[in-house]
Amino acid sequence: MSKLDVKPTPEFEKALEIGRPPNVAALFPNSRALIVSGKVVDRAMLEKGKCMTIAVNGRSSFVVRGALRGAQRANAAIILEIARSEGGANAYCHVNLWNLAQHVNQIVNELGLTIPVAIHADHYGIKKPEDMAGAKAEIPSLFDSGVTSIAIDASHMPDDQNLLANIELRDYVPSWAGYETEVGEIKGKAGLSTPEEALFLIQGLNAHGIHPDWIALNNGTTHGLEAEGEGIQVELTRAIHDALAPYKVSGAQHGTSGNSYERLRQIAEQTRTTKANVATALQMVSWGVKVNEYGNAMLDDQGRFIKEPGKGVDDEIWAEMVAYADKQGWSGGNYKKLNLPFECRLLGQPREVRERMVQAVEDFVAALLTDVFHADGTADIACKLINEAGSFDLGPKGERIEDPAEWTTEKIRARAASMDVDKGPEGDFDD
Protein backbone atom coordinates (compact mmCIF):
# COMPACT_ATOMS: atom_id res chain seq x y z
CA MET A 1 0.00 0.00 0.00
CA SER A 2 1.39 3.43 -0.92
CA LYS A 3 0.43 6.98 -0.04
CA LEU A 4 -1.43 7.20 -3.34
CA ASP A 5 -3.99 4.65 -2.10
CA VAL A 6 -5.28 6.97 0.66
CA LYS A 7 -6.99 10.34 0.25
CA PRO A 8 -7.23 12.37 3.47
CA THR A 9 -10.64 13.94 4.04
CA PRO A 10 -11.28 17.42 5.47
CA GLU A 11 -12.62 15.72 8.61
CA PHE A 12 -9.34 13.85 9.03
CA GLU A 13 -7.34 17.04 8.53
CA LYS A 14 -9.31 18.83 11.23
CA ALA A 15 -9.03 15.86 13.62
CA LEU A 16 -5.29 15.69 12.98
CA GLU A 17 -4.99 19.33 13.99
CA ILE A 18 -6.81 19.01 17.32
CA GLY A 19 -7.07 15.30 18.11
CA ARG A 20 -3.53 14.35 19.12
CA PRO A 21 -2.91 14.37 22.90
CA PRO A 22 -0.20 16.73 24.19
CA ASN A 23 2.39 13.99 24.73
CA VAL A 24 2.01 12.82 21.13
CA ALA A 25 2.11 16.36 19.73
CA ALA A 26 5.29 17.06 21.69
CA LEU A 27 7.00 13.83 20.60
CA PHE A 28 6.05 14.05 16.94
CA PRO A 29 5.45 17.75 16.20
CA ASN A 30 5.51 17.41 12.42
CA SER A 31 3.71 14.09 12.17
CA ARG A 32 0.58 13.29 10.18
CA ALA A 33 -0.16 10.20 12.25
CA LEU A 34 -3.51 10.54 14.05
CA ILE A 35 -2.47 8.94 17.35
CA VAL A 36 -5.38 9.42 19.74
CA SER A 37 -6.53 8.63 23.25
CA GLY A 38 -8.01 5.20 23.82
CA LYS A 39 -11.20 7.03 24.79
CA VAL A 40 -11.67 8.08 21.17
CA VAL A 41 -11.51 4.52 19.89
CA ASP A 42 -13.91 3.25 22.55
CA ARG A 43 -16.45 6.01 21.79
CA ALA A 44 -16.26 5.34 18.05
CA MET A 45 -17.25 1.71 18.64
CA LEU A 46 -20.10 2.73 20.95
CA GLU A 47 -21.30 5.31 18.43
CA LYS A 48 -21.53 2.73 15.66
CA GLY A 49 -22.93 0.11 18.01
CA LYS A 50 -22.59 -3.67 18.16
CA CYS A 51 -18.96 -3.61 17.13
CA MET A 52 -15.49 -3.76 18.59
CA THR A 53 -12.01 -3.15 17.31
CA ILE A 54 -8.81 -5.13 17.49
CA ALA A 55 -6.29 -4.26 20.14
CA VAL A 56 -3.26 -5.63 18.31
CA ASN A 57 -0.42 -6.92 20.45
CA GLY A 58 2.43 -5.63 18.33
CA ARG A 59 5.00 -8.27 19.17
CA SER A 60 7.00 -7.47 16.03
CA SER A 61 7.32 -4.68 13.51
CA PHE A 62 5.76 -7.01 10.93
CA VAL A 63 2.61 -7.35 13.01
CA VAL A 64 2.45 -3.60 13.65
CA ARG A 65 2.81 -2.78 9.95
CA GLY A 66 0.34 -5.42 8.79
CA ALA A 67 -2.25 -4.44 11.38
CA LEU A 68 -2.11 -0.76 10.44
CA ARG A 69 -2.50 -1.61 6.75
CA GLY A 70 -5.41 -3.92 7.55
CA ALA A 71 -7.15 -1.26 9.62
CA GLN A 72 -6.77 1.25 6.78
CA ARG A 73 -8.41 -1.23 4.40
CA ALA A 74 -11.31 -1.53 6.83
CA ASN A 75 -11.34 2.23 7.54
CA ALA A 76 -11.39 1.29 11.21
CA ALA A 77 -10.07 2.98 14.32
CA ILE A 78 -7.65 0.59 15.97
CA ILE A 79 -5.54 0.05 19.09
CA LEU A 80 -1.90 -1.00 19.01
CA GLU A 81 -0.72 -2.38 22.32
CA ILE A 82 1.99 -4.31 24.06
CA ALA A 83 1.64 -5.93 27.47
CA ARG A 84 4.10 -5.27 30.26
CA SER A 85 5.13 -8.94 30.18
CA GLU A 86 5.78 -8.69 26.42
CA GLY A 87 7.40 -5.29 26.22
CA GLY A 88 8.26 -4.11 29.72
CA ALA A 89 11.54 -4.11 31.61
CA ASN A 90 11.86 -7.88 31.08
CA ALA A 91 10.67 -7.80 27.47
CA TYR A 92 10.60 -10.81 25.17
CA CYS A 93 9.77 -8.58 22.18
CA HIS A 94 11.79 -6.00 20.27
CA VAL A 95 8.72 -3.76 20.14
CA ASN A 96 8.15 -2.47 23.66
CA LEU A 97 6.22 -0.02 25.79
CA TRP A 98 8.70 2.77 25.06
CA ASN A 99 9.06 2.41 21.29
CA LEU A 100 5.62 1.22 20.13
CA ALA A 101 4.44 4.78 19.45
CA GLN A 102 7.60 5.40 17.41
CA HIS A 103 6.92 2.30 15.30
CA VAL A 104 3.32 3.38 14.70
CA ASN A 105 4.23 6.98 13.94
CA GLN A 106 6.90 5.99 11.42
CA ILE A 107 4.73 3.46 9.58
CA VAL A 108 1.64 5.68 9.43
CA ASN A 109 3.65 8.58 8.03
CA GLU A 110 5.51 6.36 5.58
CA LEU A 111 2.27 4.95 4.18
CA GLY A 112 0.16 8.10 4.56
CA LEU A 113 -2.52 6.29 6.57
CA THR A 114 -5.56 8.17 7.90
CA ILE A 115 -6.91 5.89 10.61
CA PRO A 116 -6.99 6.95 14.29
CA VAL A 117 -4.68 4.76 16.38
CA ALA A 118 -4.46 4.50 20.17
CA ILE A 119 -1.23 3.29 21.84
CA HIS A 120 -2.15 1.06 24.78
CA ALA A 121 0.03 -0.25 27.60
CA ASP A 122 -1.74 -3.54 28.23
CA HIS A 123 -1.70 -5.61 31.42
CA TYR A 124 0.44 -3.19 33.39
CA GLY A 125 0.67 -5.77 36.13
CA ILE A 126 0.75 -5.06 39.84
CA LYS A 127 1.22 -8.44 41.50
CA LYS A 128 2.04 -7.35 45.05
CA PRO A 129 1.96 -4.13 47.09
CA GLU A 130 5.73 -3.77 46.73
CA ASP A 131 5.23 -3.20 42.98
CA MET A 132 3.52 0.12 43.57
CA ALA A 133 6.61 2.27 44.09
CA GLY A 134 8.16 1.18 40.80
CA ALA A 135 4.88 1.68 38.97
CA LYS A 136 4.64 5.29 40.15
CA ALA A 137 8.01 5.99 38.53
CA GLU A 138 7.51 3.92 35.39
CA ILE A 139 3.95 4.77 34.33
CA PRO A 140 4.76 8.46 33.62
CA SER A 141 7.68 7.31 31.45
CA LEU A 142 5.22 5.38 29.26
CA PHE A 143 3.18 8.48 28.56
CA ASP A 144 6.39 10.42 27.96
CA SER A 145 7.05 7.82 25.22
CA GLY A 146 3.73 8.22 23.42
CA VAL A 147 1.36 5.83 25.20
CA THR A 148 -2.23 7.14 25.11
CA SER A 149 -4.04 4.43 27.04
CA ILE A 150 -3.22 1.97 29.84
CA ALA A 151 -4.60 -1.11 31.59
CA ILE A 152 -3.84 -1.11 35.30
CA ASP A 153 -4.00 -4.83 36.03
CA ALA A 154 -3.86 -5.55 39.75
CA SER A 155 -6.16 -8.56 39.37
CA HIS A 156 -3.40 -10.84 40.66
CA MET A 157 -4.06 -9.44 44.16
CA PRO A 158 -7.15 -9.79 46.38
CA ASP A 159 -10.13 -7.62 45.44
CA ASP A 160 -9.54 -4.93 48.03
CA GLN A 161 -5.87 -4.55 47.06
CA ASN A 162 -6.83 -4.49 43.37
CA LEU A 163 -9.26 -1.62 43.95
CA LEU A 164 -6.90 0.30 46.23
CA ALA A 165 -4.03 -0.06 43.74
CA ASN A 166 -6.19 1.36 40.94
CA ILE A 167 -7.22 4.28 43.14
CA GLU A 168 -3.63 5.01 44.12
CA LEU A 169 -2.22 4.80 40.59
CA ARG A 170 -4.94 6.77 38.81
CA ASP A 171 -3.16 10.05 39.56
CA TYR A 172 -0.22 8.83 37.47
CA VAL A 173 -2.39 8.43 34.36
CA PRO A 174 -3.38 11.59 32.44
CA SER A 175 -7.10 12.35 32.73
CA TRP A 176 -7.45 12.42 28.93
CA ALA A 177 -5.96 8.92 28.47
CA GLY A 178 -7.83 5.68 27.89
CA TYR A 179 -8.09 3.67 31.11
CA GLU A 180 -8.73 -0.05 31.57
CA THR A 181 -9.10 -1.99 34.79
CA GLU A 182 -9.36 -5.73 35.34
CA VAL A 183 -11.15 -8.09 37.69
CA GLY A 184 -10.09 -11.74 37.68
CA GLU A 185 -6.94 -13.03 36.04
CA ILE A 186 -7.29 -14.57 32.57
CA LYS A 187 -7.26 -18.25 33.61
CA GLY A 188 -9.63 -19.97 31.22
CA LYS A 189 -12.60 -21.67 32.85
CA ALA A 190 -11.05 -21.47 36.35
CA GLY A 191 -11.70 -18.51 38.66
CA LEU A 192 -14.37 -16.93 36.48
CA SER A 193 -15.32 -13.34 37.25
CA THR A 194 -18.69 -12.59 38.83
CA PRO A 195 -21.02 -9.58 38.72
CA GLU A 196 -20.38 -9.07 42.44
CA GLU A 197 -16.61 -8.76 41.93
CA ALA A 198 -16.97 -6.48 38.93
CA LEU A 199 -19.44 -4.22 40.73
CA PHE A 200 -17.15 -4.02 43.76
CA LEU A 201 -14.29 -2.76 41.59
CA ILE A 202 -16.28 -0.34 39.43
CA GLN A 203 -18.42 1.04 42.27
CA GLY A 204 -15.34 1.63 44.39
CA LEU A 205 -13.61 3.45 41.56
CA ASN A 206 -16.75 5.46 40.85
CA ALA A 207 -16.90 6.63 44.46
CA HIS A 208 -13.41 8.04 44.01
CA GLY A 209 -14.32 9.86 40.79
CA ILE A 210 -12.62 7.30 38.53
CA HIS A 211 -14.51 6.23 35.42
CA PRO A 212 -12.71 3.45 33.50
CA ASP A 213 -13.25 3.22 29.78
CA TRP A 214 -12.95 -0.59 29.88
CA ILE A 215 -13.09 -3.49 32.30
CA ALA A 216 -11.43 -6.81 31.48
CA LEU A 217 -12.89 -10.00 32.93
CA ASN A 218 -11.95 -13.62 33.27
CA ASN A 219 -14.86 -14.78 31.14
CA GLY A 220 -13.45 -18.13 30.12
CA THR A 221 -10.55 -17.39 27.79
CA THR A 222 -6.84 -18.05 27.99
CA HIS A 223 -3.84 -16.19 26.66
CA GLY A 224 -1.93 -17.86 23.85
CA LEU A 225 -3.35 -21.01 22.25
CA GLU A 226 -7.04 -21.76 22.76
CA ALA A 227 -6.88 -25.41 23.76
CA GLU A 228 -9.91 -25.73 26.03
CA GLY A 229 -12.49 -25.66 23.25
CA GLU A 230 -14.83 -23.58 25.43
CA GLY A 231 -13.43 -20.09 25.21
CA ILE A 232 -15.42 -16.93 25.82
CA GLN A 233 -18.59 -17.31 27.87
CA VAL A 234 -20.98 -14.86 26.23
CA GLU A 235 -23.82 -15.18 28.77
CA LEU A 236 -21.49 -14.48 31.71
CA THR A 237 -20.04 -11.48 29.91
CA ARG A 238 -23.47 -10.07 29.13
CA ALA A 239 -24.64 -10.56 32.73
CA ILE A 240 -21.64 -8.67 34.10
CA HIS A 241 -21.97 -5.86 31.55
CA ASP A 242 -25.67 -5.53 32.36
CA ALA A 243 -24.84 -5.19 36.05
CA LEU A 244 -22.33 -2.46 35.24
CA ALA A 245 -24.62 -0.56 32.86
CA PRO A 246 -25.21 2.46 35.18
CA TYR A 247 -21.46 3.12 35.23
CA LYS A 248 -21.09 3.18 31.41
CA VAL A 249 -17.94 1.09 31.32
CA SER A 250 -17.14 -0.86 28.15
CA GLY A 251 -15.73 -4.36 27.98
CA ALA A 252 -12.20 -5.37 26.99
CA GLN A 253 -12.06 -8.93 25.67
CA HIS A 254 -8.77 -10.70 26.32
CA GLY A 255 -7.63 -14.07 24.98
CA THR A 256 -9.38 -13.66 21.61
CA SER A 257 -7.08 -15.78 19.43
CA GLY A 258 -8.55 -19.16 18.56
CA ASN A 259 -12.13 -18.43 19.59
CA SER A 260 -14.81 -19.10 17.00
CA TYR A 261 -15.93 -16.18 14.90
CA GLU A 262 -19.53 -16.84 15.86
CA ARG A 263 -18.68 -16.41 19.53
CA LEU A 264 -16.73 -13.23 18.80
CA ARG A 265 -19.67 -11.87 16.80
CA GLN A 266 -21.91 -12.57 19.78
CA ILE A 267 -19.54 -10.69 22.07
CA ALA A 268 -19.59 -7.69 19.70
CA GLU A 269 -23.35 -7.76 19.19
CA GLN A 270 -24.67 -8.81 22.62
CA THR A 271 -22.32 -7.17 25.10
CA ARG A 272 -20.76 -3.75 25.66
CA THR A 273 -17.33 -4.93 24.49
CA THR A 274 -15.47 -2.45 22.28
CA LYS A 275 -11.87 -3.75 22.52
CA ALA A 276 -10.69 -7.26 21.67
CA ASN A 277 -7.05 -8.20 22.18
CA VAL A 278 -5.42 -10.27 19.45
CA ALA A 279 -1.83 -11.42 19.92
CA THR A 280 -0.91 -15.05 19.27
CA ALA A 281 -2.90 -15.42 16.05
CA LEU A 282 -1.13 -12.48 14.41
CA GLN A 283 2.28 -13.70 15.52
CA MET A 284 1.63 -17.14 14.02
CA VAL A 285 0.15 -15.76 10.79
CA SER A 286 3.18 -13.53 10.26
CA TRP A 287 5.53 -16.47 10.75
CA GLY A 288 3.64 -18.65 8.27
CA VAL A 289 2.52 -21.20 10.85
CA LYS A 290 -0.56 -23.12 9.75
CA VAL A 291 -3.65 -21.88 11.59
CA ASN A 292 -7.29 -22.82 11.52
CA GLU A 293 -9.97 -20.42 10.29
CA TYR A 294 -9.98 -18.68 13.70
CA GLY A 295 -6.23 -18.11 13.86
CA ASN A 296 -5.45 -20.94 16.29
CA ALA A 297 -2.09 -22.54 15.46
CA MET A 298 -2.28 -26.18 14.34
CA LEU A 299 0.09 -28.88 15.60
CA ASP A 300 1.44 -32.06 14.03
CA ASP A 301 1.42 -35.51 15.64
CA GLN A 302 4.50 -34.60 17.68
CA GLY A 303 2.86 -31.46 19.05
CA ARG A 304 4.97 -29.13 16.91
CA PHE A 305 3.78 -26.15 14.91
CA ILE A 306 3.23 -26.78 11.21
CA LYS A 307 5.15 -24.29 9.06
CA GLU A 308 3.58 -23.77 5.64
CA PRO A 309 6.25 -23.73 2.90
CA GLY A 310 6.47 -20.46 1.01
CA LYS A 311 4.53 -18.52 3.65
CA GLY A 312 5.74 -16.29 6.45
CA VAL A 313 9.40 -16.36 7.41
CA ASP A 314 12.06 -17.92 5.23
CA ASP A 315 11.98 -21.71 5.70
CA GLU A 316 15.66 -21.87 6.59
CA ILE A 317 15.24 -19.20 9.25
CA TRP A 318 12.21 -21.04 10.58
CA ALA A 319 14.43 -24.09 11.05
CA GLU A 320 16.83 -21.88 13.01
CA MET A 321 13.95 -20.61 15.15
CA VAL A 322 12.80 -24.17 15.92
CA ALA A 323 16.33 -25.24 16.79
CA TYR A 324 16.77 -22.23 19.05
CA ALA A 325 13.46 -22.94 20.80
CA ASP A 326 14.42 -26.58 21.29
CA LYS A 327 17.72 -25.54 22.83
CA GLN A 328 15.91 -23.23 25.24
CA GLY A 329 13.28 -25.84 26.05
CA TRP A 330 10.49 -23.69 24.58
CA SER A 331 7.35 -25.17 23.07
CA GLY A 332 3.73 -24.19 22.46
CA GLY A 333 2.94 -20.71 23.71
CA ASN A 334 6.54 -20.13 24.78
CA TYR A 335 7.47 -19.71 21.11
CA LYS A 336 6.49 -16.08 21.78
CA LYS A 337 9.96 -15.69 23.32
CA LEU A 338 11.47 -16.05 19.84
CA ASN A 339 10.33 -12.53 18.98
CA LEU A 340 13.23 -10.72 20.64
CA PRO A 341 16.19 -12.83 19.50
CA PHE A 342 14.91 -13.13 15.91
CA GLU A 343 13.41 -9.70 15.10
CA CYS A 344 16.55 -8.32 13.48
CA ARG A 345 17.20 -11.65 11.75
CA LEU A 346 13.74 -11.45 10.20
CA LEU A 347 14.23 -7.82 9.19
CA GLY A 348 17.24 -8.95 7.17
CA GLN A 349 15.20 -11.27 4.94
CA PRO A 350 14.56 -10.46 1.26
CA ARG A 351 11.87 -7.85 0.61
CA GLU A 352 9.41 -10.34 -0.84
CA VAL A 353 9.59 -12.48 2.30
CA ARG A 354 9.11 -9.51 4.58
CA GLU A 355 6.19 -8.35 2.45
CA ARG A 356 4.39 -11.69 2.56
CA MET A 357 4.71 -11.68 6.37
CA VAL A 358 3.12 -8.24 6.54
CA GLN A 359 0.48 -9.07 3.93
CA ALA A 360 -0.68 -12.12 5.86
CA VAL A 361 -1.29 -9.96 8.94
CA GLU A 362 -2.98 -7.26 6.87
CA ASP A 363 -5.41 -9.75 5.32
CA PHE A 364 -6.22 -11.36 8.68
CA VAL A 365 -6.82 -8.01 10.42
CA ALA A 366 -8.89 -6.50 7.59
CA ALA A 367 -11.18 -9.54 7.48
CA LEU A 368 -11.55 -9.69 11.26
CA LEU A 369 -12.37 -5.98 11.56
CA THR A 370 -14.88 -6.06 8.71
CA ASP A 371 -16.51 -9.49 8.75
CA VAL A 372 -16.44 -10.38 12.45
CA PHE A 373 -15.96 -7.28 14.61
CA HIS A 374 -17.99 -4.94 12.32
CA ALA A 375 -15.60 -2.06 13.03
CA ASP A 376 -15.42 -0.91 9.40
CA GLY A 377 -16.13 2.80 9.05
CA THR A 378 -15.24 3.65 12.65
CA ALA A 379 -12.21 5.69 11.57
CA ASP A 380 -14.57 8.33 10.17
CA ILE A 381 -16.72 8.17 13.31
CA ALA A 382 -13.67 8.72 15.52
CA CYS A 383 -12.69 11.81 13.53
CA LYS A 384 -16.25 13.11 13.81
CA LEU A 385 -16.25 12.68 17.59
CA ILE A 386 -12.95 14.53 17.95
CA ASN A 387 -14.20 17.37 15.78
CA GLU A 388 -17.52 17.62 17.62
CA ALA A 389 -15.70 17.77 20.95
CA GLY A 390 -13.16 20.22 19.55
CA SER A 391 -10.49 18.44 21.55
CA PHE A 392 -8.29 15.38 21.96
CA ASP A 393 -10.02 14.83 25.33
CA LEU A 394 -13.53 13.36 25.17
CA GLY A 395 -13.88 13.31 28.96
CA PRO A 396 -15.45 10.55 31.07
CA LYS A 397 -18.51 8.58 30.00
CA GLY A 398 -19.88 8.12 33.48
CA GLU A 399 -20.59 10.32 36.47
CA ARG A 400 -20.20 9.77 40.18
CA ILE A 401 -23.03 7.68 41.59
CA GLU A 402 -21.49 6.13 44.69
CA ASP A 403 -20.99 7.87 48.04
CA PRO A 404 -17.26 8.33 48.78
CA ALA A 405 -17.98 8.00 52.51
CA GLU A 406 -19.03 4.39 51.90
CA TRP A 407 -15.80 3.56 50.09
CA THR A 408 -13.05 4.49 52.52
CA THR A 409 -10.04 2.19 52.77
CA GLU A 410 -11.45 0.52 55.87
CA LYS A 411 -14.87 -0.03 54.31
CA ILE A 412 -13.31 -1.32 51.08
CA ARG A 413 -11.42 -3.96 53.04
CA ALA A 414 -14.53 -4.91 55.02
CA ARG A 415 -16.64 -5.24 51.86
CA ALA A 416 -14.00 -7.40 50.19
CA ALA A 417 -13.77 -9.68 53.21
CA SER A 418 -17.52 -10.30 53.05
CA MET A 419 -17.51 -11.43 49.39
CA ASP A 420 -17.51 -15.11 48.49
CA VAL A 421 -15.11 -15.38 45.55
CA ASP A 422 -13.16 -18.11 43.78
CA LYS A 423 -9.97 -16.82 42.19
CA GLY A 424 -9.00 -20.19 40.74
CA PRO A 425 -5.60 -21.88 41.01
CA GLU A 426 -2.36 -20.07 41.74
CA GLY A 427 0.22 -19.82 38.95
CA ASP A 428 1.73 -17.67 36.21
CA PHE A 429 -1.04 -16.60 33.82
CA ASP A 430 0.78 -13.78 32.03
CA ASP A 431 0.08 -13.60 28.32
Side-chain angles (χ1 to χ4, degrees):
M1 178 179 290
S2 69
K3 288 187 177 182
L4 297 178
D5 298 315
V6 180
K7 292 187 172 77
T9 64
E11 291 76 17
F12 167 80
E13 297 291 354
K14 182 179 178 183
L16 183 65
E17 182 180 347
I18 63 175
R20 299 194 306 152
N23 64 333
V24 173
L27 271 175
F28 312 119
N30 302 309
S31 174
R32 288 184 56 79
L34 184 52
I35 296 177
V36 300
S37 165
K39 292 182 185 296
V40 172
V41 179
D42 172 48
R43 304 296 174 84
M45 302 304 135
L46 292 174
E47 178 85 2
K48 181 177 183 182
K50 296 184 178 181
C51 71
M52 57 191 182
T53 194
I54 299 178
V56 173
N57 286 62
R59 292 179 177 176
S60 76
S61 58
F62 302 95
V63 169
V64 174
R65 181 176 291 267
L68 290 170
R69 286 176 16 178
Q72 184 70 56
R73 271 173 56 184
N75 191 30
I78 195 173
I79 297 169
L80 266 293
E81 67 181 24
I82 197 83
R84 191 183 190 189
S85 59
E86 297 169 306
N90 298 310
Y92 60 79
C93 298
H94 175 75
V95 179
N96 59 55
L97 290 167
W98 295 275
N99 67 24
L100 177 56
Q102 295 176 37
H103 279 278
V104 170
N105 184 69
Q106 186 273 319
I107 293 167
V108 170
N109 277 283
E110 173 196 336
L111 300 178
L113 307 183
T114 58
I115 48 167
V117 185
I119 309 296
H120 185 72
D122 195 38
H123 283 299
Y124 190 88
I126 305 295
K127 297 189 176 183
K128 54 187 184 301
E130 291 76 17
D131 292 342
M132 294 291 287
K136 292 175 182 178
E138 192 172 77
I139 288 173
S141 78
L142 306 184
F143 288 94
D144 289 344
S145 301
V147 163
T148 63
S149 183
I150 191 169
I152 301 297
D153 179 8
S155 64
H156 304 76
M157 300 194 295
D159 289 296
D160 56 339
Q161 293 181 38
N162 181 4
L163 172 54
L164 291 168
N166 273 265
I167 293 170
E168 191 171 345
L169 290 178
R170 188 62 180 90
D171 288 342
Y172 295 84
V173 178
S175 61
W176 53 260
Y179 187 83
E180 179 179 337
T181 191
E182 181 164 337
V183 58
E185 290 183 77
I186 309 303
K187 296 182 177 180
K189 60 185 179 182
L192 293 171
S193 300
T194 67
E196 182 184 19
E197 291 174 279
L199 276 168
F200 172 83
L201 178 58
I202 297 302
Q203 288 175 336
L205 292 173
N206 181 274
H208 287 263
I210 302 170
H211 309 286
D213 300 285
W214 299 284
I215 184 171
L217 315 169
N218 178 14
N219 61 351
T221 57
T222 58
H223 288 128
L225 305 177
E226 175 53 57
E228 294 289 334
E230 296 187 25
I232 301 168
Q233 297 194 17
V234 178
E235 294 292 338
L236 172 64
T237 307
R238 183 166 57 234
I240 293 176
H241 287 188
D242 286 348
L244 297 175
Y247 305 93
K248 299 182 180 179
V249 60
S250 300
Q253 180 59 58
H254 292 204
T256 300
S257 296
N259 278 272
S260 78
Y261 285 170
E262 180 55 35
R263 192 172 285 140
L264 293 175
R265 289 189 184 96
Q266 291 172 3
I267 282 290
E269 295 169 2
Q270 300 178 24
T271 76
R272 198 179 168 85
T273 303
T274 62
K275 171 181 181 284
N277 296 9
V278 184
T280 305
L282 301 180
Q283 168 190 278
M284 296 302 185
V285 166
S286 73
W287 286 348
V289 171
K290 188 175 183 179
V291 299
N292 67 11
E293 61 179 314
Y294 309 130
N296 210 29
M298 303 181 71
L299 307 175
D300 63 18
D301 293 339
Q302 285 73 48
R304 287 179 171 270
F305 295 118
I306 302 169
K307 170 68 168 65
E308 296 194 277
K311 292 187 178 181
V313 304
D314 179 87
D315 291 348
E316 290 186 9
I317 295 181
W318 176 252
E320 293 178 28
M321 293 170 70
V322 172
Y324 188 94
D326 287 346
K327 185 176 180 180
Q328 304 299 321
W330 297 340
S331 62
N334 277 328
Y335 261 52
K336 64 190 179 184
K337 297 178 182 178
L338 291 168
N339 281 284
L340 182 58
F342 279 89
E343 173 83 2
C344 291
R345 185 82 170 89
L346 299 181
L347 287 169
Q349 298 173 112
R351 179 179 296 171
E352 61 269 20
V353 177
R354 287 180 277 129
E355 173 58 24
R356 76 189 186 196
M357 292 176 66
V358 172
Q359 189 66 53
V361 175
E362 176 186 332
D363 293 342
F364 190 94
V365 167
L368 197 60
L369 285 169
T370 303
D371 301 334
V372 184
F373 290 1
H374 306 307
D376 49 305
T378 54
D380 293 339
I381 295 172
C383 289
K384 176 179 75 76
L385 294 175
I386 291 170
N387 295 336
E388 288 176 350
S391 172
F392 57 85
D393 185 1
L394 299 191
K397 288 181 291 188
E399 57 185 6
R400 180 176 278 167
I401 300 172
E402 302 299 323
D403 181 0
E406 296 301 316
W407 291 90
T408 62
T409 298
E410 294 74 18
K411 290 185 177 181
I412 285 171
R413 288 176 175 154
R415 285 174 183 261
S418 69
M419 291 197 302
D420 182 17
V421 297
D422 174 18
K423 294 296 185 183
E426 297 292 327
D428 181 7
F429 293 92
D430 276 340
D431 54 355

